[in-house]
Every structure is written in structure tokens, then in C-alpha cells.
Amino acid sequence: MAGRIILIIGGGIAAYKALELIRLLRKRDVAVECVLTDSATHFVTPLSVQALSGAPVHTTLLSLAEDSQMDHIALSRSADLLVVCPATANLMARMANGLADDLATTLLLATDTPVLIAPAMNVRMWKHPATQENYRRLRERGCDFVGPEDGEMACGEFGPGRLSAPETIVEAIESALSPHKPLTGRHVLITAGPTHEPIDPVRFIANHSSGKQGYAIAEACAALGAQVTLVSGPTALPCPKGVTLVPVLTASDMMAACEKALPADCVICAAAVGDWRVAQSSEQKRKKQPGETVSLALVENPDILATLSRPGPHRASLVIGFAAETESLEQHAKAKLARKGCDWLLANDVGGESAVFGGDRNRILFLNGETVETWPDMPKAEVASLLATRLAAHFSSTSR
Ligand code: C5P
């Protein structure tokens, strides 16, 4: 295991175990730079920590400015992982409340690096509703936890609150540094956004799709290790991390880009593809004639989902469609699943009050051909990670 961590040592009696943790990590080639809270310096000395880590030890913002080339923002982002060990009840409370009243909490607030917390405290402090609430909030914000364990404590009491063994913390660090990514080796092709069907060089027919749901799915699949191709109509969104973006304008461009991107293990059609295009878009801007009624002849666009769902050598093993409906959601969704020939369908009600288009939340009816599930109203990012998790489960249960 290689990597670089910042170890934040809190002021609890278990702080001495952080020394053993540093030793084990150094043996595994992990670079460890330590930050001690003020109270931690009463339990372990900066000198021992420095000798074991072989790196400068930081205690205050001031000391950091004096003996390091880095400022606290750069330091907080210089590692692959921030580990808080031992995390006292006080340190967890300060983290949960976003305090930045010393170097440790300032780093934790300034970082966008994953955080792993190893709590250690008296059993009553751990069980206190305030600590439990802080624990829940930190988890919800994406912090990982290792421990605490049940056992006898330094204070003589027994119960949960004991720091996990250094070896267990090393394992947790190991998996945080190289997490198992269940979609590694899978190619996921995703369509997103609206299409623009030109009327002339300055006008087009489009729709209200923001692309948010498709982009969130692309990001969630990439986060699980998939190679993601995102074929997207015009949106205002940045390309998600780790995703290959293929920008297109029209449905025909989108169809061609998808065919070019094949083969894929999974195709997810989240785009709001225009059903029609103007039969003859004019090369020059159409001039307005006073009093004239203009009619546009429209011809059908290719149905990308139906085309990519057709059996054939390049058919992905899993093809997923979306259905935006304004009424009789389940009935229309079932009919669409059968008509398109896809494997799964995510239907959402876009009628009436539901601000799905452009909004950040979505309520999904999920059909996999056998069952229908109602997913509760949730942020589009959560719909995306739930779907990505379902993909991972699907691929782990089918042979490659
Ligand atoms: O037929 P309808 O547009 O309601 O179907 C919606 C589903 O089909 C979505 O998954 C959408 O991305 C896909 N679709 C497509 N190509 C079209 C029309 C819809 O891929 N031309």
C-alpha cells in the first residue's frame, strides 16, 4: 500500500496508540504527516511523533507557517486521506459543527479529501445523544468511521468507545486508499440532456431537459470505477470527473455518437431526445413575412433507446431507459419498457407541480421487467448512486 495521509491526533488517553499506527503505516510505505491538537500534546510528544513519522509535526497554525513551506489549505489537500485518530467526543463535535478553532479542525474544514475517523472515548460520552447526533451527521457528510469497539476502557468502564486496534485502523486506511470499485472494467454509455433540432441557423426546437440526472448518473458510475462515455446534448453542466464527454446537438448526431461509442456493457438513455426534426431546415435564416402563418413539416427522429435495445452483436448486456410521463405513470412505463425492448426503466412524473425538469430532486418508479419499485423523493445525485449500485449488483451476479 502506498499513499500519503495526514494523521490528526486528538487529545485522549488512546493517543499513545497513534504512535503504533504511525509505525505500522510507515512499514507499509505510507507517508504520514501528523497534526496534534493542543490537548494531544499532553498525551504524546511532538518529538516522538516526528521521530516515528519522519516528517514535520504540526500543532498550531502558527507553527505550520513557521516550519513548513505549505499553508493550511495546501496541507489539507496534499494527502490522499485525512485520518482522525483518536477522535475524541470534543473533536467530533467540533467537526460536526464546522468549527475551525485550531489547526486540526481548520484542516478538516478546508479539505476536499476523504476523511476516516477512529473515535475513542468513554462509553457514556459515546452513547450520549449529542455524540450520536454528531456521528450521524459526520457519516451523512461522507466521513468514514472505523470503530469504536466494545471493550474495557482506560477509565475502567466497559462498552463501546474503545479505539479500534491499530491493525484494524490500518486495514480501514488500506481500503480507503484503494477502495473496491465494482464497475471497474465496465464501459457505461450514457445519453443526457436535450437535443436541438434546427429550424434554420439561428432557431431550433428543444425541450426543458437540464441534463442533471444523466450527468449525475455518469458521475456515480465513474465513481464506482466504470469507464463512462457521456453523449450529451447542450447543457450548462460541467463534465463530471473521470467521464468522457461527447457533445452533440441533434438526435441524429446523438444516435451516431452512441453507435460509435459501442460496444458497452451498459447503455443508459437519460436524454430527452427530440421526437421530431424539421424535415427541411433552411440553410439561411428564414425571413418573417408580415401576416404569414408558418407551418413546419416534422419527420421522426431515430429512437436511440429502441435502436440500442435491439438484439445484435453489439447489444449491451444491460440497456436502461427513462420515461418522463405526465399521467398513468406505471401503466405507461410498463408499456414503454415492452415497446422499447430495454431491460430496466426509470419512470418519473414530470407533470403538474413536480419540478423534475431543471430541479435537483427526482421521484422514480423503477421497473426491471419483474418488479416495480417506488423510490422515495430524493436528490438526483442519490437516484444516480442508487442506480449505479444496482448496476454493480447486476454485473456482480452475471458472469462477464
Ligand atoms: O418515447 P419516449 O421519448 O417517451 O422514451 C423515453 C426514453 O427513450 C428515454 O430513455 C429517452 O432517452 C429515450 N429516447 C431515445 N431516443 C428517442 C426518444 C427517446 O433514446 N428518439
Side-chain angles (χ1 to χ4, degrees):
M1 162 174 58
R4 185 178 144 71
I5 68 163
I6 290 178
L7 176 63
I8 294 172
I9 304 178
I13 186 72
Y16 74 94
K17 291 192 189 165
L19 298 178
E20 175 64 0
L21 178 65
I22 298 168
R23 204 183 60 79
L24 293 175
L25 289 168
R26 297 293 298 129
K27 261 172 67 181
R28 285 169 174 74
D29 272 345
V30 177
V32 187
E33 190 155 346
C34 295
V35 173
L36 273 69
T37 63
D38 188 35
S39 52
T41 60
H42 299 293
F43 293 94
V44 288
T45 70
L47 196 59
S48 343
V49 173
Q50 185 174 325
L52 282 165
S53 66
V57 173
H58 312 290
T59 48
T60 62
L61 278 163
L62 204 63
S63 74
L64 180 66
E66 275 167 7
D67 41 65
S68 153
Q69 301 301 318
M70 253 189 264
D71 67 18
H72 61 283
I73 306 284
L75 177 63
S76 75
R77 295 175 194 168
S78 64
D80 305 305
L81 182 70
L82 260 63
V83 180
V84 187
C85 170
T88 58
N90 180 50
L91 192 46
M92 278 177 59
R94 288 192 292 145
M95 288 172 75
N97 285 289
L99 296 188
D101 54 359
D102 65 357
L103 177 60
T105 48
T106 304
L107 292 184
L108 287 159
L109 202 61
T111 195
D112 52 5
T113 304
V115 176
L116 176 71
I117 302 174
M121 66 196 73
N122 169 273
V123 53
R124 279 185 215 284
M125 290 171 88
W126 173 253
K127 284 188 171 168
H128 194 285
T131 306
Q132 288 302 303
E133 170 74 12
N134 294 333
Y135 171 56
R136 192 182 55 74
R137 280 163 73 187
L138 290 167
R139 280 176 65 125
E140 276 173 12
R141 273 183 222 152
C143 293
D144 261 348
F145 276 81
V146 49
E149 315 277 333
D150 270 25
E152 198 180 337
M153 326 215 122
C155 55
E157 287 184 57
F158 194 90
R162 215 173 124 100
L163 185 74
S164 294
E167 292 76 9
T168 311
I169 300 172
V170 169
E171 272 170 34
I173 291 172
E174 201 156 29
S175 67
L177 286 177
S178 47
H180 170 61
K181 295 193 168 174
L183 291 179
T184 301
R186 303 286 178 185
H187 180 206
V188 179
L189 168 62
I190 300 171
T191 71
T195 60
H196 284 188
E197 307 297 337
I199 297 170
D200 66 20
V202 297
R203 306 181 181 97
F204 54 84
I205 301 174
N207 58 64
H208 288 299
S209 169
S210 64
K212 282 183 183 171
Q213 187 61 80
Y215 276 59
I217 295 169
E219 185 163 355
C221 290
L224 292 192
Q227 178 210 336
V228 179
T229 308
L230 177 62
V231 179
S232 171
T235 71
L237 303 172
C239 177
K241 208 165 123 192
V243 167
T244 306
L245 178 69
V246 183
V248 294
L249 267 185
T250 66
S252 304
D253 295 345
M254 190 175 269
M255 181 77 252
C258 286
E259 279 174 335
K260 200 165 158 213
L262 290 174
D265 297 284
C266 175
V267 173
I268 304 173
C269 289
V273 185
D275 287 322
W276 307 281
R277 66 179 176 278
V278 177
Q280 268 181 331
S281 60
S282 59
E283 303 236 319
Q284 304 300 330
K285 184 181 172 194
R286 284 175 72 137
K287 291 290 174 206
K288 182 173 71 172
Q289 304 295 338
E292 183 198 24
T293 304
V294 177
S295 24
L296 291 172
L298 302 177
V299 292
E300 209 178 327
N301 266 333
D303 190 316
I304 301 167
L305 175 60
T307 308
L308 300 182
S309 296
R310 262 184 232 136
H314 284 326
R315 206 242 188 226
S317 82
L318 188 62
V319 181
I320 304 170
F322 273 76
E325 304 289 348
T326 52
E327 55 171 359
S328 313
L329 194 58
E330 184 168 344
Q331 191 190 336
H332 285 153
K334 280 184 173 159
K336 191 166 287 181
L337 182 70
R339 194 169 66 243
K340 301 268 188 178
C342 56
D343 305 296
W344 297 354
L345 193 91
L346 283 81
N348 48 4
D349 192 342
V350 293
E353 308 284 280
S354 72
V356 169
F357 278 133
D360 290 316
R361 301 182 72 85
N362 212 344
R363 200 145 95 223
I364 295 286
L365 203 63
F366 174 81
L367 289 78
N368 65 5
E370 286 163 14
T371 54
V372 178
E373 287 172 25
T374 306
W375 292 359
D377 176 81
M378 57 177 114
K380 286 181 176 171
E382 270 177 42
V383 170
S385 42
L386 190 51
L387 181 62
T389 313
R390 292 295 173 92
L391 293 192
H394 168 84
F395 285 116
S396 76
S397 66
T398 55
S399 59
R400 299 187 62 128

